[in-house]
């Protein structure tokens, strides 16, 4: 177990925003967190990152400093730094010397398929490329837990499918546990081995669906019967969760 | 062609304005002490050029000193306010009060504090007061404008307060700070002129004094000439900082 929430509740300004909610993330597994807007998905993510504490309930985290990474919906790069400096930032903040940090950052950029853009500033990159830089920054520390908060939501369909495959390929190489939040049922089923569905806010568990099949996904996985059926199950859970709240 | 027209348009307009002015003065036989024709102002510029340039330098130097002092004070205070909410709440009312009080109204007080034998100190002081606010508010806004998600990442990476300040908040503030200095430069010139006016009595040898002196003697053309030097100086300072800002921002954004 790398991180878990048990019976966790979070209040914002005296109102319940999340929970009670349970979630356990196992070493090296990929979990998709799906739920309606405002159900507390991002809050759950910040809890697991250790950036927030639950109001009630228990949060357990195994990773130490530098072993958790976070990717947001926007690339969230510093515009005044080059791509390679952005990627090197987590290492430099942890005290790795500049030369070594930049070398590892450059490698991480290669690994996400970006070569020759080391010196480019974020403003010179396309949306997809900037997202890859963000991903490289998340991977450069070789995290045990990778948290992705709607990472592809702002990208076009082709780019997001390519990036989904790339994330799975990187996962196969480095085997971090991945928890990612999405609104997109098909993306959830495609990328995760387990889809966790939340109810409308304050979010509780609406249900879970295991996704069969190998990871990374083989060609044509989206048109298999298993993919279709799991997607329907998840959609049904999502609909139930919204009804229960309404 | 289009660019040439754009370039020529303001020159032609200025020419028409000056030509009309000149013609009106001659046709209506306006006495030159009341409104001198542009040709007389030109003559005054030529005749008094060295004196006006010396006075212009006095005013410019005053404004630049004020800008430097205001920059130092404003940035330090903004830094303190950004680091501590208590400091911000403590100094904000004083800063705002100072900002909304017309500088001309506090000029006599500053005059007294500086000592009547040091009018130049009072002038610099008044220019500092008006130049302070845009720099302070720009720097404070900038220091508090860091992307909250980037801030979360810095927390996640275990960045210290100093690392966050140097590597996140200060770079975020840079464009705001530059903008503040640009506005402050123009205000410093205004502050210097207001200060010189209130110092009166020839204690300061700046352009404002030249204007007062010439007006008192009904040398209206000379007063206009001093005004021309003042306007050109202000525009040049603003243009210079505009250029510096554009260069710096281009570097900052990496384009």
């Amino acid at each position: 177990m790398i991180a878990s929430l048990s019976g966790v509740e979070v209040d914002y300004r005296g109102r319940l925003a999340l929970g009670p909610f349970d979630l356990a993330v196992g070493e090296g597994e990929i979990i998709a967190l799906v739920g309606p807007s405002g159900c507390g998905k991002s809050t759950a993510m910040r809890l697991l990152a250790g950036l927030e504490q639950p109001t009630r309930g228990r949060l357990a985290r195994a990773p130490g400093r530098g072993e958790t990474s976070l990717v947001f919906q926007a690339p969230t790069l510093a515009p005044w730094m080059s791509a390679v400096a952005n990627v090197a930032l987590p290492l430099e903040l942890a005290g790795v010397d500049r030369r070594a940090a930049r070398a590892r950052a450059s490698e991480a950029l290669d690994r996400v398929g970006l070569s020759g853009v080391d010196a480019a500033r974020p403003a010179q990159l396309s949306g997809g490329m900037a997202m890859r830089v963000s991903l490289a920054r998340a991977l450069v520390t070789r995290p045990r837990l990778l948290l992705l908060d709607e990472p592809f939501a702002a990208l076009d369909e082709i780019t997001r499918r390519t990036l989904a495959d790339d994330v799975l390929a990187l996962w196969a190489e480095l085997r971090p546990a991945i928890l990612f939040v999405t609104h997109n049922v098909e993306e959830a089923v495609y990328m995760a081995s387990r889809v966790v569905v939340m109810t409308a806010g304050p979010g509780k568990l609406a249900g879970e669906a295991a996704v069969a099949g190998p990871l990374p996904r083989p060609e044509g996985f989206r048109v298999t019967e298993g993919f279709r059926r799991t997607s329907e199950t998840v959609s049904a859970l999502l609909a139930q969760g919204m009804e229960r709240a309404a | 062609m289009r660019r040439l027209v754009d370039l020529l348009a303001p020159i032609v307009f200025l020419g028409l304005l000056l030509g009309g002015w000149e013609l009106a003065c001659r046709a209506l036989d306006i006495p030159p002490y009341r409104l001198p024709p542009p040709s007389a102002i030109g003559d005054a510029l030529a005749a008094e050029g060295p004196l006006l340039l010396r006075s212009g330098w006095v005013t410019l130097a005053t404004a630049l000193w004020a800008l430097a002092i205001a920059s130092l004070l404003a940035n330090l205070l903004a830094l303190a306010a950004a680091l501590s909410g208590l400091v911000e709440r403590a100094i904000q009312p004083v800063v705002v009060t100072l900002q909304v009080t017309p500088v001309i109204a506090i000029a006599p007080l500053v005059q007294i504090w500086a000592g009547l034998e040091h009018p130049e100190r009072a002038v610099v002081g008044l220019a500092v007061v008006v130049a302070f606010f845009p720099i302070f508010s720009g720097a404070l806004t900038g220091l508090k404008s860091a992307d909250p998600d980037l801030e979360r990442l810095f927390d996640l990476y275990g960045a210290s307060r100093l690392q966050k300040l140097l590597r996140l908040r200060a770079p975020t503030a840079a464009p705001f700070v530059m903008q503040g200095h640009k506005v402050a430069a123009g205000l410093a010139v205004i502050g210097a002129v207001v200060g010189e006016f209130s110092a009166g009595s020839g204690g300061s040898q700046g352009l404002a004094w030249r204007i007062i002196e010439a007006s008192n003697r009904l040398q209206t053309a000379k007063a206009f000439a001093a005004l021309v030097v003042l306007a050109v100086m202000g525009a040049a300072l603003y243009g210079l900082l505009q250029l510096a800002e554009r260069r710096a921002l281009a570097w900052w954004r990496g384009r």
Side-chain angles (χ1 to χ4, degrees), chain A residues 61-68 144, chain B residues 156:
Chain A
R61 280 171 42 80
R65 179 183 156 151
E67 290 185 326
T68 307
R144 287 168 69 194
Chain B
L156 188 70

Side-chain angles (χ1 to χ4, degrees), chain B residues 27-54:
Chain B
L28 300 173
D29 216 8
I30 300 173
Y33 70 84
R34 193 165 284 254
L35 181 65
S39 58
I41 298 172
D43 290 344
L45 262 177
E48 306 283 354
L51 176 69
L52 291 179
L53 282 182
R54 261 202 314 279

Side-chain angles (χ1 to χ4, degrees), chain A residues 46 49 51 65-66 68-70 72 76-81 85 89-90 92-94 98 102 121 123-124 137, chain B residues 147-160 163-164 167-169 171-172 250-255:
Chain A
R46 285 199 292 273
L51 289 171
R65 179 183 156 151
T68 307
S69 283
L70 197 51
F72 301 98
T76 319
L77 302 172
W80 59 87
M81 286 195 243
L89 184 69
E92 288 178 14
L93 289 176
R98 202 180 156 97
R102 298 279 159 118
R121 296 290 190 88
Q124 295 166 307
R137 178 179 57 193
Chain B
D147 178 339
D149 278 342
L150 258 181
E151 214 148 344
R152 282 195 188 106
L153 283 182
F154 272 73
D155 288 340
L156 188 70
Y157 303 144
S160 67
Q163 282 178 322
K164 256 169 116 171
R167 304 214 53 179
L168 174 63
R169 301 177 75 182
T172 304
W251 168 82
W252 192 84
R253 291 203 197 94
R255 275 190 197 268

